Every structure is written in structure tokens, then in C-alpha cells.
Amino acid sequence: MPLIVQKFGGSSVANPEKILRAARRAIRAQQEGSQVVMVVSAMGDTTDDLLELAAKITDRPPAREMDMLLSTGEQVSVALMAIAIHSLGHKAVSLTGAQIGVKTDASYRKARIKSIETARLRKSLDDGNIVIAAGFQGIDDDFNITTLGRGGSDTTAVALAAVLRADACEIYTDVDGVYTTDPRVVPEARRVSRISYDEMLELASLGAGVMHSRSIEFGKKFDVPIHVRSSFTDSNGTMIVAEPERPDLPVSGAAITKDEARITVQGVIDKPGSSLEIFSRIAAKNISVDMIVQNIGESGRADISFTVPQNELETALEAVRDAAKVVGAEGITSDDSVAKISVVGLGMAKQTGVAQKMFRSLADAGINIQMITTSEIKISVLVSRERSPEALRIVHHVFELDSTPHAPREDSITRSVMPTMRTGESDAAAVVARLQSMNMEDLTIDEISLDASQARVTISGVPDKPGLAAKVFEDVAAAGIFVDMIVQSHPSAAGTATLSFTVPQNQLTKSVEAAKRIAQSLGCKQVTSSPTIGKLSVSGVGLRTHVGVAIRMFKALSDAGINLEMINTSEVRVNVVVDGAAGEKGLTQLQAAFADVLR
Ligand code: ADP
Ligand code: ASP
Ligand code: MG
């Protein structure tokens, strides 16, 4: 018998009428011949209300007790859902995270799922019940209640679909699918019929609140197609699967992380181990860091800048202050009025001019770019929070995300149950075996590689004015140069930034010439270059949420005395650039450092 997991978010169970509506939907699925597992979130704004209640007592509540408190929201809604189904004359049983056997680690407020037992669930289903599981919660080895992080019911749903090898996983919400960007910020945003796991993972972690990013990690790792759709209509929504909607388009979505903060550690002695010292202390507090950029400074010192979630700024600063003493930093600055705007697309890896188009559109609106980082499938810029909604609208428009692509691929979602898109029987067995042999949310690394074909160009002393990055990359593109990584540092105390990019080695001479011309015309200080670099990459799933990945890389390289020249992180890949002579050695070091998680 087919098995379907249906998840209902807070807005879809916000009142008794909506609960009854969700109940009827589940009953219908059962009547159509499926076993049904519902995963339910807390009603409406319950979780926010509970947080507020605690905040009225203290601003530092114990994390364990917060999880005890927050988990009650879901307990209310699963009970009401079961009552609703009974009232409609059908069998249902509600279960808490502990009753299902959702085992997690002990990191309250951000717990990771280790395993899920299926025996009790299966038995209840076989007895003809609709099983209603509380989302967002689990228990640790000592039976403490844990929660998975805001939005975590999505992760419960996809994880259940994975362990039960469900035929469909439907996420019912208040929008009718995944949009090219948040439709609340950009009304012109368009629903996509399909999006790839990698793109969704990146978008979710960069601010697209429609899905909890860790749910997409499960989808990708365990091959669960996810159907995001409206709880208020019957129309098809968006399928999150392996293949993108339009692999030929450079950008498939844009996202805003409004609540971002920047930290700069100034005048760090530029030697192996400095970044490690800083980031390992932040990681120890389980804070994920993004947009790591170094500003190559005077006399062997560098500024290291990065971003953290705004609500974790204070905690991150505590860690940074301790580290700063050890690495001999000259000062620390921070800014909690910034936002990160990102564009994401699998197609951008194979196209030129994507970054330049984004920079130009922002420059034309007079929006200053404070920092830049790129990866193979995303470009992120840091701008002032004040201008960030406008910046999002502008980049959304410049990549024509508001217009329907010429060849829409509606074919991909004719039915929510799509046996053809699932792996075959033997693969399914392999997936289940894999699930049982590991902690479900453990880190897995697919590949560790070295690209020794590139060179680096760095322009330093770049004035901090809107339009500079646009100008540089327009001129570089006009010279026919193919740029891979780009990083632009936060401006130094002197008000100038460092802009580095990588190019194929055979284009280095041409690139340096172009950079020198640009530097001269814009009044930059100097152009330096490195004819051979080693770009070391670790690829896998959910690398940014596993805060330890970058740290492991930094440690492995620092232990071998290898200095980092550039860094970029994404959900699916962390890249670091080292001196060309250190590439092979770095690769060996990384292979050893990740041997336990390499699949
Ligand atoms: P639920 O309570 O069902 O889990 P959420 O509020 O977590 O719902 O997620 C749905 C909301 O996500 C939408 O109302 C929308 O404003 C927001 N959102 C942000 N980015 C996107 C996007 N790219 N596509 C669709 N919705 C988005
Ligand atoms: N109720 C939790 C929250 O609001 C989990 C969820 O809705 O996914 O974050
Ligand atoms: Mg949600």
C-alpha cells in the first residue's frame, strides 16, 4: 500500500476550521488508498508566543527548558488534529517526538536527528490509523525533550518520509509552492514548477524561509521528492527533486537574509592558524558563519571579516574577543545593520557575466556592496539592511525571475505520487541500510578535490564606492576572461577593500593587464597575482549547517603549515585557495582529515 507523508505548517492549522480542513485532506488521501502520516506544526504563531512568554521572564532562559516549553505547541496541535479526525469518523492516533522515537543529539534549540524508530508508526498505520506526528521535536539519549530549530517540522516530515520510504512527501503551507524569491518581499516573484535539491538547499540556508534547510539535506541524501503546495487549494505546487527546472538559466532564485551581522577582526597576523583560532571558537558555540573574507593588509597583517546571524552576534563577539587576544589582532568591529542578498542557480557554473550583471544592477541603483563571496552555484553580497528589500527586488528583476521561462516544465508534476522519480527497489534497500548504519543527520562528504588550473588576481586599495565591483568585472569580461571565484573584503579602516578573483592560468597575463588598467582608472592601490594556486574543495550535503566542516579544513591545513588565501562556503561545497606549491600536500591533508565521513 502506498504511504504518504503530509506536513501542515503553523498557518495551515491556525484555527479549528483549518485543522478540520487538514484532517479532511488526510482522510481523503487514506480513502484513495494510501497509508497517511501527518506531521503537524504548532498552531499559528504559538511558537513565537511561547518565546515571548519566556522572554518576559528572562532574556537568558535555559535552553533545556525552552525546548520543554516550545515542544508543547506541537503537542497541542497533534492532539487537536487527532480529535478532528475522530470527529469525522476516522481512526487516528497522535504521537509526540518521544513516542515516535525521534532520537536526537543533546544540542537544545538546534538538535539533529540521529534516528527514528518505525515499528510503532507502522503498527498504528497497519491498524488503520492516520498517524499524526508532532513536528520539530525529539528526545536525546537521556530522555530530555529537544527541538530541531525554527521551522524544524519540515525536517521531521522529510526525515519520516525517508525512514518510511514514503511514496510522497507533501508540505502544505500558506503559499502554493516555492517562488523565485519571497513573494511577501517581491510580489512579482513567480512560482517554479520544480527546483533542484542543491538550489533549494542553498536558497533555504540563505533566507528562503519556505523550507527548513535541513529538510532538504534529508531529501537529497535519501532521495525523497518533496512536493511543496498550498493547504488551501488542490493545485500542484513545486517539486523539489534532483533536476532543476531550467538548467540552462544562470539564476533560478534569489534570497535575502535580513537578520545578518558582520564582524571584522582587524590586523590579524597573516599566518597559518589565525582563521582556525577565530572560527573554531565560534563553532564551539554552534554558530554558523558565512561570507568569510580576508582583506590583505599592510606588513603581514590582514583583516578577517565574516557574517553571523544577527541574534547570535553577541555570543559570536564573545568568542571572537577571546580569539583576538591569541592571534594578536589590532581590533574588532561589528555591524548589525546589514543584510545578505544572494542569487542561486546550478546554471551559473557554466556561464560568464552573471556576477557582473548582479553588481551592475545594484550599482545603477546606487546601492553599495560591502562584501562579496561566490561559490559555484551562488553569489552573495552584503548591503545595508535599509536598502536590502530594494536590492532583492532589483536582482530578482535583472535576472528576469519574474517572467515565465519560455519552456515551462509543468510535465514534472502531474501527480504527487511519482513512482518513476523514485529509486529502484535495490537502491531503496541500500538507502534503508545506509539510514540504519549512521546517525541520520551526520555529515557525509562526497568528494575532496584539488583544482590546480587557476591563478589569482588581487586588486587592493579599492575605494569603497557603489559601482566599483561592477566596473571591474565588466572590464574583465570585456577582455574575454573567465572568472571563477570572487571575494571582496569589507573595507579596511582606511576605507578601501581588497578584491580577489581566480582565472584560468592561461588567462593570467591578460587578467593582470586588465586589472592594472582598471586599478589605474579607479585609483586603486596595486595589483598582485599568484600564477598558480590550489583550489581545494570539499563537497557534500549541508556543509554550512555542519559548522565543523570549515574548521576541519582550516585545522588540517594549518597543521601542515599551509596558509589560506581565499575561502568560500556554500551548503554543498567549501572551497579554499592555497598557494599552488601547497596544493597536493593540502589535498592529502584533507583526505586524511575527512576519511571518517567520506562516502
Ligand atoms: P509554514 O508555517 O507552513 O511552515 P512558513 O511561514 O515557514 O510556513 O513558510 C511559508 C512562507 O515562506 C511564505 O508565506 C513566504 O512568505 C515565505 N517564503 C520565503 N521565501 C520563499 C520562497 N522562495 N518561496 C515561497 N515562499 C517563501
Ligand atoms: N513550530 C515550530 C516553529 O514555529 C516548528 C515549525 O513550525 O516548523 O518554528
Ligand atoms: Mg515553515
Side-chain angles (χ1 to χ4, degrees):
M1 200 185 230
L3 194 159
I4 179 167
V5 173
Q6 297 186 326
K7 180 252 168 181
F8 294 86
S11 47
S12 307
V13 291
N15 59 37
E17 292 71 48
K18 288 182 176 168
I19 291 177
L20 279 162
R21 184 202 294 260
R24 282 192 204 95
R25 197 182 281 274
I27 292 167
R28 196 169 76 202
Q30 192 188 43
Q31 285 170 337
E32 284 167 4
S34 293
Q35 293 191 319
V36 183
V37 174
M38 297 175 90
V39 174
V40 184
S41 292
M43 294 170 69
D45 297 329
T46 302
T47 309
D48 290 326
D49 296 345
L50 292 169
L51 284 165
E52 231 169 83
L53 263 180
K56 284 193 179 136
I57 296 176
T58 168
D59 54 8
R60 292 218 158 198
R64 179 187 184 278
E65 305 312 327
M66 284 309 292
D67 279 359
M68 179 66 91
L69 177 68
L70 296 183
S71 66
T72 61
E74 272 68 13
Q75 194 169 335
V76 169
S77 47
V78 287
L80 290 174
M81 188 63 75
I83 291 168
I85 293 174
H86 281 280
S87 77
L88 296 168
H90 292 264
K91 284 175 72 176
V93 48
S94 65
L95 298 170
T96 64
Q99 287 173 325
I100 309 164
V102 177
K103 289 273 175 58
T104 71
D105 64 19
S107 43
Y108 300 115
R109 311 285 302 266
K110 319 178 170 178
R112 283 183 176 274
I113 299 177
K114 297 206 302 197
S115 62
I116 301 181
E117 268 149 43
T118 52
R120 177 159 190 184
L121 273 171
R122 291 256 187 228
K123 177 156 190 318
S124 296
L125 289 170
D126 292 342
D127 289 344
N129 289 293
I130 292 177
V131 173
I132 306 156
F136 176 57
Q137 54 177 262
I139 44 163
D140 71 6
D141 288 341
D142 295 326
F143 301 97
N144 297 301
I145 295 177
T146 54
T147 65
L148 308 181
R150 294 307 305 271
S153 296
D154 298 328
T155 294
T156 307
V158 182
L160 276 173
V163 284
L164 294 167
R165 298 312 295 154
D167 298 278
C169 180
E170 301 182 330
I171 306 291
Y172 288 94
T173 182
D174 63 350
V175 264
D176 60 357
V178 175
Y179 279 62
T180 48
T181 196
D182 189 341
R184 280 190 224 168
V185 185
V186 183
E188 309 84 77
R190 177 180 65 80
R191 184 178 65 79
V192 298
S193 58
R194 153 164 113 185
I195 189 163
S196 68
Y197 293 125
D198 284 355
E199 289 166 324
M200 192 66 231
L201 190 53
E202 208 61 70
L203 285 169
S205 113
L206 294 168
V210 61
M211 290 296 289
H212 195 226
S213 76
R214 280 162 46 199
S215 69
I216 313 300
E217 295 177 23
F218 273 107
K220 179 174 174 179
K221 274 208 293 208
F222 303 116
D223 184 34
V224 182
I226 302 166
H227 187 177
V228 182
R229 57 192 308 191
S230 165
S231 62
F232 309 119
T233 69
D234 279 338
S235 57
N236 280 322
T238 300
M239 291 305 303
I240 306 174
V241 289
E243 293 297 314
E245 183 181 66
R246 288 288 303 272
D248 52 323
L249 297 181
V251 172
S252 55
I256 179 169
T257 315
K258 246 189 139 176
D259 304 321
E260 198 84 339
R262 176 202 40 93
I263 298 179
T264 301
V265 193
Q266 295 169 311
V268 177
I269 299 165
D270 190 17
K271 64 164 203 294
S274 295
S275 329
L276 176 65
E277 187 65 42
I278 297 168
F279 296 117
S280 56
R281 284 173 192 261
I282 300 175
K285 308 211 174 212
N286 205 1
I287 297 174
S288 53
V289 164
D290 194 25
M291 296 194 82
I292 303 173
V293 178
Q294 300 189 31
N295 194 342
I296 300 166
E298 306 290 326
S299 59
R301 286 183 181 258
D303 290 355
I304 299 179
S305 298
F306 51 91
T307 61
V308 295
Q310 189 191 6
N311 61 3
E312 299 190 295
L313 175 62
E314 282 314 315
T315 319
L317 279 173
E318 280 166 22
V320 171
R321 281 186 205 112
D322 293 341
K325 289 183 203 131
V326 182
V327 297
E330 290 166 341
I332 300 167
T333 65
S334 65
D335 183 354
D336 69 353
S337 63
V338 289
K340 179 171 63 186
I341 303 290
S342 311
V343 296
V344 171
L346 282 180
M348 77 172 67
K350 290 178 228 79
Q351 299 190 26
T352 56
V354 185
Q356 154 207 343
K357 195 164 170 178
M358 177 175 185
F359 304 156
R360 169 51 60 202
S361 68
L362 294 171
D364 286 348
I367 296 176
N368 198 24
I369 299 176
Q370 302 182 9
M371 280 166 73
I372 303 170
T373 55
T374 67
S375 80
E376 283 71 12
I377 66 163
K378 70 127 201 272
I379 304 164
S380 294
V381 299
L382 198 69
V383 300
S384 74
R385 183 167 309 131
E386 201 191 336
R387 301 206 65 185
S388 61
E390 184 191 354
L392 179 66
R393 236 171 282 130
I394 289 168
V395 302
H396 187 265
H397 182 71
V398 78
F399 289 109
E400 296 172 28
L401 294 177
D402 29 21
S403 48
T404 315
H406 294 307
R409 299 280 288 261
E410 288 292 342
D411 58 306
S412 61
I413 39 164
T414 43
R415 294 194 309 145
S416 58
V417 181
M418 299 178 305
T420 50
M421 295 196 73
R422 305 309 310 274
T423 44
E425 271 306 303
S426 57
D427 283 352
V431 169
V432 172
R434 190 148 54 84
L435 278 168
Q436 274 151 2
S437 69
M438 59 187 278
N439 287 343
M440 290 183 77
E441 285 196 74
D442 268 1
L443 178 63
T444 48
I445 299 292
D446 299 323
E447 199 192 353
I448 297 175
S449 61
L450 168 67
D451 170 3
S453 69
Q454 298 195 57
R456 172 177 58 84
V457 181
T458 296
I459 309 179
S460 50
V462 181
D464 178 28
K465 283 194 302 217
L468 273 275
K471 184 83 182 79
V472 169
F473 292 103
E474 275 160 6
D475 290 1
V476 166
I481 295 160
F482 187 91
V483 173
D484 177 18
M485 280 171 75
I486 299 175
V487 301
Q488 181 201 293
S489 75
H490 187 262
S492 66
T496 59
T498 305
L499 190 58
S500 296
F501 53 95
T502 66
V503 298
Q505 271 156 18
N506 61 11
Q507 293 197 313
L508 179 64
T509 316
K510 209 157 83 170
S511 307
V512 171
E513 280 165 16
K516 285 197 168 140
R517 268 197 316 273
I518 297 163
Q520 201 166 25
S521 74
L522 300 178
C524 308
K525 203 166 120 226
Q526 61 168 351
V527 174
T528 54
S529 64
S530 179
T532 57
I533 55 168
K535 178 180 167 188
L536 292 161
S537 308
V538 170
S539 327
V541 183
L543 302 191
R544 205 164 29 218
T545 53
H546 281 277
V547 292
V549 175
I551 304 302
R552 261 206 223 199
M553 288 181 85
F554 297 169
K555 174 150 180 21
L557 298 172
S558 152
D559 285 351
I562 300 172
N563 209 8
L564 309 182
E565 296 179 6
M566 290 166 81
I567 298 160
N568 71 37
T569 57
S570 74
E571 283 293 336
V572 292
R573 203 167 160 120
V574 179
N575 297 311
V576 298
V577 168
V578 301
D579 187 79
E584 286 295 343
K585 187 172 167 199
L587 182 63
T588 317
Q589 287 291 119
L590 292 182
Q591 279 160 342
F594 288 96
D596 60 323
V597 282
L598 193 60
R599 115 166 148 202

